[in-house]
PDB file of all heavy atoms in Angstrom:
ATOM      1  N   VAL P  76     -18.406  31.436   1.360  1.00 87.00           N
ATOM      2  CA  VAL P  76     -17.672  30.605   2.317  1.00 87.00           C
ATOM      3  C   VAL P  76     -18.333  29.239   2.456  1.00 87.00           C
ATOM      4  O   VAL P  76     -17.666  28.196   2.465  1.00 87.00           O
ATOM      5  CB  VAL P  76     -17.556  31.309   3.683  1.00 87.00           C
ATOM      6  CG1 VAL P  76     -17.053  30.363   4.757  1.00 87.00           C
ATOM      7  CG2 VAL P  76     -16.650  32.518   3.583  1.00 87.00           C
ATOM      8  N   LEU P  77     -19.663  29.228   2.568  1.00 86.00           N
ATOM      9  CA  LEU P  77     -20.382  27.961   2.695  1.00 86.00           C
ATOM     10  C   LEU P  77     -20.216  27.090   1.450  1.00 86.00           C
ATOM     11  O   LEU P  77     -20.038  25.873   1.561  1.00 86.00           O
ATOM     12  CB  LEU P  77     -21.860  28.222   2.978  1.00 86.00           C
ATOM     13  CG  LEU P  77     -22.170  28.876   4.317  1.00 86.00           C
ATOM     14  CD1 LEU P  77     -23.649  29.205   4.422  1.00 86.00           C
ATOM     15  CD2 LEU P  77     -21.731  27.976   5.460  1.00 86.00           C
ATOM     16  N   VAL P  78     -20.256  27.699   0.272  1.00 91.00           N
ATOM     17  CA  VAL P  78     -20.043  26.941  -0.966  1.00 91.00           C
ATOM     18  C   VAL P  78     -18.659  26.312  -0.967  1.00 91.00           C
ATOM     19  O   VAL P  78     -18.490  25.136  -1.302  1.00 91.00           O
ATOM     20  CB  VAL P  78     -20.253  27.846  -2.205  1.00 91.00           C
ATOM     21  CG1 VAL P  78     -19.695  27.205  -3.463  1.00 91.00           C
ATOM     22  CG2 VAL P  78     -21.722  28.156  -2.378  1.00 91.00           C
ATOM     23  N   HIS P  79     -17.652  27.059  -0.576  1.00 90.00           N
ATOM     24  CA  HIS P  79     -16.288  26.527  -0.553  1.00 90.00           C
ATOM     25  C   HIS P  79     -16.151  25.400   0.464  1.00 90.00           C
ATOM     26  O   HIS P  79     -15.483  24.399   0.200  1.00 90.00           O
ATOM     27  CB  HIS P  79     -15.277  27.638  -0.264  1.00 90.00           C
ATOM     28  CG  HIS P  79     -15.022  28.511  -1.447  1.00 90.00           C
ATOM     29  ND1 HIS P  79     -13.973  28.315  -2.305  1.00 90.00           N
ATOM     30  CD2 HIS P  79     -15.704  29.568  -1.925  1.00 90.00           C
ATOM     31  CE1 HIS P  79     -13.999  29.219  -3.260  1.00 90.00           C
ATOM     32  NE2 HIS P  79     -15.045  29.998  -3.050  1.00 90.00           N
ATOM     33  N   LEU P  80     -16.766  25.568   1.628  1.00 84.00           N
ATOM     34  CA  LEU P  80     -16.684  24.524   2.650  1.00 84.00           C
ATOM     35  C   LEU P  80     -17.347  23.228   2.188  1.00 84.00           C
ATOM     36  O   LEU P  80     -16.819  22.135   2.400  1.00 84.00           O
ATOM     37  CB  LEU P  80     -17.328  24.990   3.953  1.00 84.00           C
ATOM     38  CG  LEU P  80     -16.570  26.032   4.752  1.00 84.00           C
ATOM     39  CD1 LEU P  80     -17.398  26.503   5.930  1.00 84.00           C
ATOM     40  CD2 LEU P  80     -15.239  25.485   5.221  1.00 84.00           C
ATOM     41  N   VAL P  81     -18.487  23.330   1.544  1.00 87.00           N
ATOM     42  CA  VAL P  81     -19.231  22.132   1.156  1.00 87.00           C
ATOM     43  C   VAL P  81     -18.675  21.509  -0.113  1.00 87.00           C
ATOM     44  O   VAL P  81     -18.406  20.296  -0.162  1.00 87.00           O
ATOM     45  CB  VAL P  81     -20.736  22.466   0.988  1.00 87.00           C
ATOM     46  CG1 VAL P  81     -21.485  21.297   0.382  1.00 87.00           C
ATOM     47  CG2 VAL P  81     -21.338  22.845   2.326  1.00 87.00           C
ATOM     48  N   PHE P  82     -18.467  22.298  -1.167  1.00 91.00           N
ATOM     49  CA  PHE P  82     -18.120  21.731  -2.459  1.00 91.00           C
ATOM     50  C   PHE P  82     -16.622  21.501  -2.651  1.00 91.00           C
ATOM     51  O   PHE P  82     -16.232  20.616  -3.416  1.00 91.00           O
ATOM     52  CB  PHE P  82     -18.647  22.620  -3.589  1.00 91.00           C
ATOM     53  CG  PHE P  82     -20.138  22.546  -3.739  1.00 91.00           C
ATOM     54  CD1 PHE P  82     -20.947  23.531  -3.213  1.00 91.00           C
ATOM     55  CD2 PHE P  82     -20.728  21.478  -4.384  1.00 91.00           C
ATOM     56  CE1 PHE P  82     -22.319  23.471  -3.338  1.00 91.00           C
ATOM     57  CE2 PHE P  82     -22.097  21.401  -4.514  1.00 91.00           C
ATOM     58  CZ  PHE P  82     -22.895  22.396  -3.989  1.00 91.00           C
ATOM     59  N   PHE P  83     -15.775  22.276  -2.001  1.00 89.00           N
ATOM     60  CA  PHE P  83     -14.340  22.120  -2.222  1.00 89.00           C
ATOM     61  C   PHE P  83     -13.619  21.485  -1.037  1.00 89.00           C
ATOM     62  O   PHE P  83     -12.670  20.736  -1.221  1.00 89.00           O
ATOM     63  CB  PHE P  83     -13.713  23.467  -2.582  1.00 89.00           C
ATOM     64  CG  PHE P  83     -14.310  24.074  -3.824  1.00 89.00           C
ATOM     65  CD1 PHE P  83     -14.915  25.310  -3.794  1.00 89.00           C
ATOM     66  CD2 PHE P  83     -14.289  23.391  -5.025  1.00 89.00           C
ATOM     67  CE1 PHE P  83     -15.480  25.863  -4.922  1.00 89.00           C
ATOM     68  CE2 PHE P  83     -14.848  23.927  -6.175  1.00 89.00           C
ATOM     69  CZ  PHE P  83     -15.439  25.168  -6.122  1.00 89.00           C
ATOM     70  N   LEU P  84     -14.035  21.799   0.182  1.00 84.00           N
ATOM     71  CA  LEU P  84     -13.405  21.193   1.353  1.00 84.00           C
ATOM     72  C   LEU P  84     -14.174  19.985   1.860  1.00 84.00           C
ATOM     73  O   LEU P  84     -13.734  19.311   2.783  1.00 84.00           O
ATOM     74  CB  LEU P  84     -13.267  22.233   2.473  1.00 84.00           C
ATOM     75  CG  LEU P  84     -12.340  23.399   2.146  1.00 84.00           C
ATOM     76  CD1 LEU P  84     -12.335  24.396   3.292  1.00 84.00           C
ATOM     77  CD2 LEU P  84     -10.950  22.908   1.847  1.00 84.00           C
ATOM     78  N   HIS P  85     -15.336  19.719   1.273  1.00 83.00           N
ATOM     79  CA  HIS P  85     -16.147  18.534   1.551  1.00 83.00           C
ATOM     80  C   HIS P  85     -16.532  18.410   3.026  1.00 83.00           C
ATOM     81  O   HIS P  85     -16.554  17.321   3.572  1.00 83.00           O
ATOM     82  CB  HIS P  85     -15.435  17.254   1.083  1.00 83.00           C
ATOM     83  CG  HIS P  85     -14.929  17.350  -0.307  1.00 83.00           C
ATOM     84  ND1 HIS P  85     -15.773  17.459  -1.388  1.00 83.00           N
ATOM     85  CD2 HIS P  85     -13.670  17.384  -0.805  1.00 83.00           C
ATOM     86  CE1 HIS P  85     -15.048  17.536  -2.491  1.00 83.00           C
ATOM     87  NE2 HIS P  85     -13.771  17.503  -2.169  1.00 83.00           N
ATOM     88  N   LEU P  86     -16.833  19.522   3.668  1.00 78.00           N
ATOM     89  CA  LEU P  86     -17.319  19.481   5.044  1.00 78.00           C
ATOM     90  C   LEU P  86     -18.829  19.312   5.016  1.00 78.00           C
ATOM     91  O   LEU P  86     -19.547  20.105   4.421  1.00 78.00           O
ATOM     92  CB  LEU P  86     -16.970  20.762   5.801  1.00 78.00           C
ATOM     93  CG  LEU P  86     -15.517  20.934   6.184  1.00 78.00           C
ATOM     94  CD1 LEU P  86     -15.338  22.227   6.950  1.00 78.00           C
ATOM     95  CD2 LEU P  86     -15.030  19.776   7.009  1.00 78.00           C
ATOM     96  N   ASP P  87     -19.292  18.262   5.640  1.00 76.00           N
ATOM     97  CA  ASP P  87     -20.725  18.021   5.728  1.00 76.00           C
ATOM     98  C   ASP P  87     -21.043  17.493   7.117  1.00 76.00           C
ATOM     99  O   ASP P  87     -20.203  17.482   7.997  1.00 76.00           O
ATOM    100  CB  ASP P  87     -21.193  17.051   4.639  1.00 76.00           C
ATOM    101  CG  ASP P  87     -20.414  15.746   4.643  1.00 76.00           C
ATOM    102  OD1 ASP P  87     -19.711  15.461   5.628  1.00 76.00           O
ATOM    103  OD2 ASP P  87     -20.516  14.989   3.658  1.00 76.00           O
ATOM    104  N   GLY P  88     -22.259  17.075   7.338  1.00 71.00           N
ATOM    105  CA  GLY P  88     -22.678  16.626   8.661  1.00 71.00           C
ATOM    106  C   GLY P  88     -22.488  15.143   8.912  1.00 71.00           C
ATOM    107  O   GLY P  88     -23.020  14.617   9.880  1.00 71.00           O
ATOM    108  N   SER P  89     -21.714  14.458   8.070  1.00 76.00           N
ATOM    109  CA  SER P  89     -21.533  13.019   8.264  1.00 76.00           C
ATOM    110  C   SER P  89     -20.743  12.742   9.539  1.00 76.00           C
ATOM    111  O   SER P  89     -20.082  13.610  10.089  1.00 76.00           O
ATOM    112  CB  SER P  89     -20.836  12.400   7.053  1.00 76.00           C
ATOM    113  OG  SER P  89     -19.528  12.906   6.944  1.00 76.00           O
ATOM    114  N   LYS P  90     -20.839  11.516   9.998  1.00 79.00           N
ATOM    115  CA  LYS P  90     -20.243  11.155  11.291  1.00 79.00           C
ATOM    116  C   LYS P  90     -18.737  11.421  11.335  1.00 79.00           C
ATOM    117  O   LYS P  90     -18.209  11.885  12.337  1.00 79.00           O
ATOM    118  CB  LYS P  90     -20.532   9.680  11.576  1.00 79.00           C
ATOM    119  CG  LYS P  90     -20.266   9.287  12.997  1.00 79.00           C
ATOM    120  CD  LYS P  90     -20.784   7.897  13.273  1.00 79.00           C
ATOM    121  CE  LYS P  90     -20.730   7.619  14.755  1.00 79.00           C
ATOM    122  NZ  LYS P  90     -21.358   6.362  15.099  1.00 79.00           N
ATOM    123  N   GLY P  91     -18.036  11.152  10.264  1.00 77.00           N
ATOM    124  CA  GLY P  91     -16.596  11.370  10.230  1.00 77.00           C
ATOM    125  C   GLY P  91     -16.202  12.831  10.185  1.00 77.00           C
ATOM    126  O   GLY P  91     -15.061  13.181  10.453  1.00 77.00           O
ATOM    127  N   GLN P  92     -17.146  13.712   9.842  1.00 78.00           N
ATOM    128  CA  GLN P  92     -16.842  15.134   9.684  1.00 78.00           C
ATOM    129  C   GLN P  92     -17.333  15.984  10.847  1.00 78.00           C
ATOM    130  O   GLN P  92     -17.166  17.193  10.839  1.00 78.00           O
ATOM    131  CB  GLN P  92     -17.489  15.641   8.391  1.00 78.00           C
ATOM    132  CG  GLN P  92     -16.926  15.043   7.138  1.00 78.00           C
ATOM    133  CD  GLN P  92     -15.545  15.562   6.841  1.00 78.00           C
ATOM    134  OE1 GLN P  92     -15.228  16.712   7.126  1.00 78.00           O
ATOM    135  NE2 GLN P  92     -14.706  14.718   6.289  1.00 78.00           N
ATOM    136  N   ARG P  93     -17.957  15.396  11.844  1.00 81.00           N
ATOM    137  CA  ARG P  93     -18.573  16.188  12.918  1.00 81.00           C
ATOM    138  C   ARG P  93     -17.555  17.030  13.687  1.00 81.00           C
ATOM    139  O   ARG P  93     -17.847  18.163  14.066  1.00 81.00           O
ATOM    140  CB  ARG P  93     -19.346  15.279  13.868  1.00 81.00           C
ATOM    141  CG  ARG P  93     -20.610  14.786  13.207  1.00 81.00           C
ATOM    142  CD  ARG P  93     -21.600  14.224  14.164  1.00 81.00           C
ATOM    143  NE  ARG P  93     -22.750  13.745  13.417  1.00 81.00           N
ATOM    144  CZ  ARG P  93     -23.366  12.624  13.652  1.00 81.00           C
ATOM    145  NH1 ARG P  93     -22.974  11.854  14.638  1.00 81.00           N
ATOM    146  NH2 ARG P  93     -24.390  12.267  12.927  1.00 81.00           N
ATOM    147  N   MET P  94     -16.382  16.502  13.925  1.00 83.00           N
ATOM    148  CA  MET P  94     -15.366  17.294  14.638  1.00 83.00           C
ATOM    149  C   MET P  94     -14.881  18.459  13.778  1.00 83.00           C
ATOM    150  O   MET P  94     -14.612  19.540  14.294  1.00 83.00           O
ATOM    151  CB  MET P  94     -14.190  16.416  15.064  1.00 83.00           C
ATOM    152  CG  MET P  94     -14.525  15.499  16.222  1.00 83.00           C
ATOM    153  SD  MET P  94     -15.196  16.377  17.670  1.00 83.00           S
ATOM    154  CE  MET P  94     -13.829  17.374  18.156  1.00 83.00           C
ATOM    155  N   ASN P  95     -14.786  18.240  12.468  1.00 81.00           N
ATOM    156  CA  ASN P  95     -14.396  19.332  11.579  1.00 81.00           C
ATOM    157  C   ASN P  95     -15.461  20.421  11.562  1.00 81.00           C
ATOM    158  O   ASN P  95     -15.148  21.609  11.551  1.00 81.00           O
ATOM    159  CB  ASN P  95     -14.162  18.815  10.158  1.00 81.00           C
ATOM    160  CG  ASN P  95     -12.901  18.001  10.050  1.00 81.00           C
ATOM    161  OD1 ASN P  95     -12.009  18.113  10.878  1.00 81.00           O
ATOM    162  ND2 ASN P  95     -12.829  17.163   9.045  1.00 81.00           N
ATOM    163  N   VAL P  96     -16.725  20.012  11.541  1.00 80.00           N
ATOM    164  CA  VAL P  96     -17.815  20.984  11.558  1.00 80.00           C
ATOM    165  C   VAL P  96     -17.817  21.740  12.885  1.00 80.00           C
ATOM    166  O   VAL P  96     -17.986  22.963  12.919  1.00 80.00           O
ATOM    167  CB  VAL P  96     -19.173  20.290  11.304  1.00 80.00           C
ATOM    168  CG1 VAL P  96     -20.321  21.263  11.516  1.00 80.00           C
ATOM    169  CG2 VAL P  96     -19.220  19.703   9.902  1.00 80.00           C
ATOM    170  N   ALA P  97     -17.599  21.034  13.998  1.00 84.00           N
ATOM    171  CA  ALA P  97     -17.547  21.685  15.308  1.00 84.00           C
ATOM    172  C   ALA P  97     -16.384  22.679  15.367  1.00 84.00           C
ATOM    173  O   ALA P  97     -16.537  23.799  15.875  1.00 84.00           O
ATOM    174  CB  ALA P  97     -17.421  20.646  16.419  1.00 84.00           C
ATOM    175  N   ALA P  98     -15.238  22.297  14.836  1.00 83.00           N
ATOM    176  CA  ALA P  98     -14.088  23.211  14.814  1.00 83.00           C
ATOM    177  C   ALA P  98     -14.381  24.413  13.928  1.00 83.00           C
ATOM    178  O   ALA P  98     -14.027  25.561  14.265  1.00 83.00           O
ATOM    179  CB  ALA P  98     -12.845  22.483  14.322  1.00 83.00           C
ATOM    180  N   GLY P  99     -15.055  24.202  12.817  1.00 81.00           N
ATOM    181  CA  GLY P  99     -15.427  25.307  11.939  1.00 81.00           C
ATOM    182  C   GLY P  99     -16.403  26.261  12.601  1.00 81.00           C
ATOM    183  O   GLY P  99     -16.280  27.482  12.479  1.00 81.00           O
ATOM    184  N   LEU P 100     -17.388  25.712  13.314  1.00 86.00           N
ATOM    185  CA  LEU P 100     -18.346  26.563  14.022  1.00 86.00           C
ATOM    186  C   LEU P 100     -17.672  27.362  15.132  1.00 86.00           C
ATOM    187  O   LEU P 100     -17.988  28.541  15.353  1.00 86.00           O
ATOM    188  CB  LEU P 100     -19.488  25.725  14.585  1.00 86.00           C
ATOM    189  CG  LEU P 100     -20.442  25.131  13.548  1.00 86.00           C
ATOM    190  CD1 LEU P 100     -21.445  24.205  14.226  1.00 86.00           C
ATOM    191  CD2 LEU P 100     -21.144  26.226  12.779  1.00 86.00           C
ATOM    192  N   PHE P 101     -16.747  26.739  15.843  1.00 89.00           N
ATOM    193  CA  PHE P 101     -16.014  27.459  16.885  1.00 89.00           C
ATOM    194  C   PHE P 101     -15.185  28.582  16.268  1.00 89.00           C
ATOM    195  O   PHE P 101     -15.125  29.696  16.810  1.00 89.00           O
ATOM    196  CB  PHE P 101     -15.115  26.502  17.667  1.00 89.00           C
ATOM    197  CG  PHE P 101     -14.311  27.192  18.731  1.00 89.00           C
ATOM    198  CD1 PHE P 101     -14.928  27.661  19.884  1.00 89.00           C
ATOM    199  CD2 PHE P 101     -12.953  27.384  18.574  1.00 89.00           C
ATOM    200  CE1 PHE P 101     -14.190  28.321  20.860  1.00 89.00           C
ATOM    201  CE2 PHE P 101     -12.215  28.028  19.545  1.00 89.00           C
ATOM    202  CZ  PHE P 101     -12.837  28.502  20.693  1.00 89.00           C
ATOM    203  N   THR P 102     -14.574  28.321  15.133  1.00 84.00           N
ATOM    204  CA  THR P 102     -13.802  29.346  14.443  1.00 84.00           C
ATOM    205  C   THR P 102     -14.695  30.509  14.043  1.00 84.00           C
ATOM    206  O   THR P 102     -14.325  31.680  14.206  1.00 84.00           O
ATOM    207  CB  THR P 102     -13.113  28.747  13.203  1.00 84.00           C
ATOM    208  OG1 THR P 102     -12.274  27.671  13.611  1.00 84.00           O
ATOM    209  CG2 THR P 102     -12.299  29.787  12.463  1.00 84.00           C
ATOM    210  N   LEU P 103     -15.887  30.199  13.514  1.00 87.00           N
ATOM    211  CA  LEU P 103     -16.825  31.259  13.150  1.00 87.00           C
ATOM    212  C   LEU P 103     -17.250  32.075  14.369  1.00 87.00           C
ATOM    213  O   LEU P 103     -17.395  33.304  14.292  1.00 87.00           O
ATOM    214  CB  LEU P 103     -18.047  30.664  12.464  1.00 87.00           C
ATOM    215  CG  LEU P 103     -17.828  30.105  11.060  1.00 87.00           C
ATOM    216  CD1 LEU P 103     -19.102  29.453  10.548  1.00 87.00           C
ATOM    217  CD2 LEU P 103     -17.353  31.191  10.119  1.00 87.00           C
TER     218      LEU P 103
END
Side-chain angles (χ1 to χ4, degrees):
V76 169
L77 294 174
V78 165
H79 284 265
L80 288 174
V81 171
F82 288 100
F83 301 121
L84 296 177
H85 311 294
L86 287 181
D87 54 15
S89 65
K90 194 170 190 173
Q92 294 288 326
R93 288 196 182 138
M94 287 306 295
N95 288 339
V96 172
L100 290 174
F101 179 72
T102 302
L103 289 176

